[in-house]
């Protein structure tokens, strides 16, 4: 696909804008996490999803998700906001972009990890909350129940005091069914193609973060606060 024909990304500020930029909704197992680096493009983390099941749109049986950030040659790590972290061996439900992108082909951190709480399957978002439904603003999530994923990709622990699943939390089948019913009721569908490679290198969009007064970055980390995958001049 020629780059000039790609749809430009725009802000994800509603359920409609989320679905409008979705090429596919898939689930798959994280079979590999590895870092790539070159002086020209900087560090990238490549997430491989295997045993892929496509719920909406079209996607291959194995996916390679290339995301900006990862190990630098000196052993430090470039940490980038707005890019989801994945747990090796975990299964995820992921929204893939149908637009050009520079940070991640995952749409607006919409990657939900499959977990079990109180013997019940749940989906966990980037901040540790549980998926609880759909609303006009997008995918609804509860307050954090799990810790966030750390840089090692280890499976996060359930937060202290959480002993049972939140009643409104949804598992994979219930969430996908809700999505499908929402689209069907409104005569909508997900369209477009998932693009494996970025349009531009994210290093061109990255801006170093200056720690707040009295704060020191964690040793070995190079923080970065890039723009979201939105063209200049757009909200």
């Amino acid at each position: 696909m020629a780059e000039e024909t790609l749809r430009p990304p725009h802000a994800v500020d509603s359920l409609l804008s989320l679905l409008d930029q979705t090429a596919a909704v898939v689930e798959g197992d994280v079979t590999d996490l590895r870092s790539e680096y070159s002086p020209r493009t900087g560090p990238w983390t490549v997430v491989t999803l295997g045993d892929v099941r496509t719920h909406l749109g079209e996607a291959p049986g194995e996916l390679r998700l290339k995301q900006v950030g990862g190990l630098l040659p000196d052993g430090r790590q470039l940490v980038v906001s707005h890019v989801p972290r994945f747990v090796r061996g975990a299964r995820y439900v992921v929204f893939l972009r149908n637009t050009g992108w520079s940070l991640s082909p995952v749409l607006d951190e919409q990657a939900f990890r499959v977990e079990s709480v109180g013997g019940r399957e749940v989906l966990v978002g980037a901040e540790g909350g549980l998926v609880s439904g759909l609303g006009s603003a997008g995918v609804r999530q509860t307050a954090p129940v799990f810790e966030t994923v750390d840089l090692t990709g280890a499976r996060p622990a359930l937060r202290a005091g959480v002993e049972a699943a939140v009643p409104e939390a949804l598992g994979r089948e219930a969430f996908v069914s809700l999505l499908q019913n929402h689209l069907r009721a409104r005569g909508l569908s997900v369209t477009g193609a998932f693009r494996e490679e970025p349009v531009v290198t994210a290093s061109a969009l990255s801006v170093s973060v200056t720690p707040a007064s009295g704060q020191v970055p964690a040793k070995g980390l190079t923080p970065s606060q890039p723009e979201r995958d939105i063209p200049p001049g757009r909200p």
Side-chain angles (χ1 to χ4, degrees), residues 122-182:
V122 297
L123 292 175
V124 185
E127 300 301 320
L130 306 183
V131 171
S132 61
L134 298 175
S136 59
V139 177
R140 289 203 302 261
Q141 298 180 51
T142 69
V145 170
F146 282 84
E147 301 297 338
T148 55
V149 179
D150 65 21
L151 297 176
T152 68
R155 191 178 291 270
L158 195 64
R159 290 195 170 188
V162 178
E163 299 178 354
V166 176
E168 65 268 29
L170 302 177
R172 284 171 290 179
E173 297 302 325
F175 176 59
V176 170
S177 178
L178 189 63
L179 271 175
Q180 292 170 333
N181 290 339
H182 178 88

Side-chain angles (χ1 to χ4, degrees), residues 6-28:
L6 287 173
R7 294 182 61 203
H10 55 88
V12 178
D13 53 11
S14 67
L15 181 58
L16 184 60
S17 62
L18 171 68
L19 296 174
D20 179 59
Q21 296 181 83
T22 299
V25 177
V26 304
E27 67 172 273

Side-chain angles (χ1 to χ4, degrees), residues 28-229:
D29 298 318
V30 178
T31 59
D32 190 37
L33 283 172
R34 60 187 174 85
S35 292
E36 292 183 351
Y37 177 84
S38 80
R40 185 177 67 84
T41 64
W44 293 81
T45 297
V46 181
V47 182
T48 301
L49 292 184
D51 189 21
V52 172
R53 178 184 177 192
T54 303
H55 294 292
L56 295 169
E58 297 182 0
E62 183 176 88
L63 285 167
R64 179 176 174 271
L65 307 178
K66 186 176 181 181
Q67 305 191 125
V68 70
L71 287 173
L72 295 163
D74 61 7
R76 293 179 299 160
Q77 293 197 51
L78 178 67
V79 181
V80 181
S81 61
H82 311 316
V83 172
R85 295 178 188 168
F86 286 83
V87 173
R88 187 187 300 273
R91 193 160 181 85
Y92 280 81
V93 173
V94 181
F95 286 65
L96 300 175
R97 282 187 171 276
N98 63 12
T99 69
W101 58 273
S102 58
L103 303 179
S104 170
V106 178
L107 179 55
D108 201 49
E109 295 187 274
Q110 304 294 298
F112 304 107
R113 190 176 72 254
V114 179
E115 290 283 3
S116 178
V117 177
R120 178 180 169 190
E121 182 183 280
V122 297
L123 292 175
V124 185
E127 300 301 320
L130 306 183
V131 171
S132 61
L134 298 175
S136 59
V139 177
R140 289 203 302 261
Q141 298 180 51
T142 69
V145 170
F146 282 84
E147 301 297 338
T148 55
V149 179
D150 65 21
L151 297 176
T152 68
R155 191 178 291 270
L158 195 64
R159 290 195 170 188
V162 178
E163 299 178 354
V166 176
E168 65 268 29
L170 302 177
R172 284 171 290 179
E173 297 302 325
F175 176 59
V176 170
S177 178
L178 189 63
L179 271 175
Q180 292 170 333
N181 290 339
H182 178 88
L183 289 166
R184 189 179 304 114
R186 289 157 181 78
L188 302 174
S189 63
V190 298
T191 59
F194 156 68
R195 179 188 173 92
E196 190 173 272
E197 294 295 329
V199 175
V200 295
T201 58
S203 59
L205 301 177
S206 298
V207 180
S208 297
V209 172
T210 301
S213 178
Q215 293 185 343
V216 179
K219 185 177 181 181
L221 302 184
T222 299
S224 179
Q225 180 70 37
E227 298 296 325
R228 289 178 181 266
D229 273 312

